[in-house]
Amino acid sequence: MRWRDKALLSFLIWIFVYPGVLLVTSAFDWLGINVALWAEIGISTALTVPFITVFAAPLVERTVAASRGETAAELKIAQAREAPGPDPEEITPVVRPKA
């Protein structure tokens, strides 16, 4: 993955992280909840990380892939080629028996 793609991926993920954390922090202030900073960060990340993992990251990956003129699957294959280990094209696919 090019440096530009990594920067775009990081920036777009941050675009989702920042408002989520800001929203939780503002909600704590608005509701008058006074907890230790470590607890507030823990609650904030417990709420934002699943959202980012399930919704934001796939959306961001599709956006980065589109900026390269690729599909999300093609981007994943390119990432797999760069990862240590066997070449993704050389791996024998798992054949599942028909149900």
Side-chain angles (χ1 to χ4, degrees), residues 12-28 40-52 56:
L12 291 174
I13 291 290
W14 177 82
I15 290 293
F16 283 93
V17 171
Y18 180 74
V21 172
L22 184 62
L23 230 152
V24 172
T25 301
S26 297
F28 272 89
E40 185 175 325
I41 291 170
I43 293 167
S44 174
T45 56
L47 296 172
T48 57
V49 168
F51 170 77
I52 291 162

Side-chain angles (χ1 to χ4, degrees), residues 13 16 18-20 23 27-28 31 36 39 60-61 67 71 74-75 81 83 91-93 95:
I13 291 290
F16 283 93
Y18 180 74
L23 230 152
F28 272 89
L31 295 170
V60 166
E61 287 172 350
S67 78
T71 65
E74 291 168 326
L75 178 67
R81 284 187 194 112
I91 298 174
T92 306
V95 178

Side-chain angles (χ1 to χ4, degrees), residues 1 10-11 17 20 25 29-30 41 45 54 63 67 73-74 81 84 87 94 96:
M1 186 182 289
S10 295
F11 176 72
V17 171
T25 301
D29 289 342
W30 185 72
I41 291 170
T45 56
V54 172
T63 303
S67 78
E74 291 168 326
R81 284 187 194 112
D87 185 359
V94 175
R96 298 177 196 265

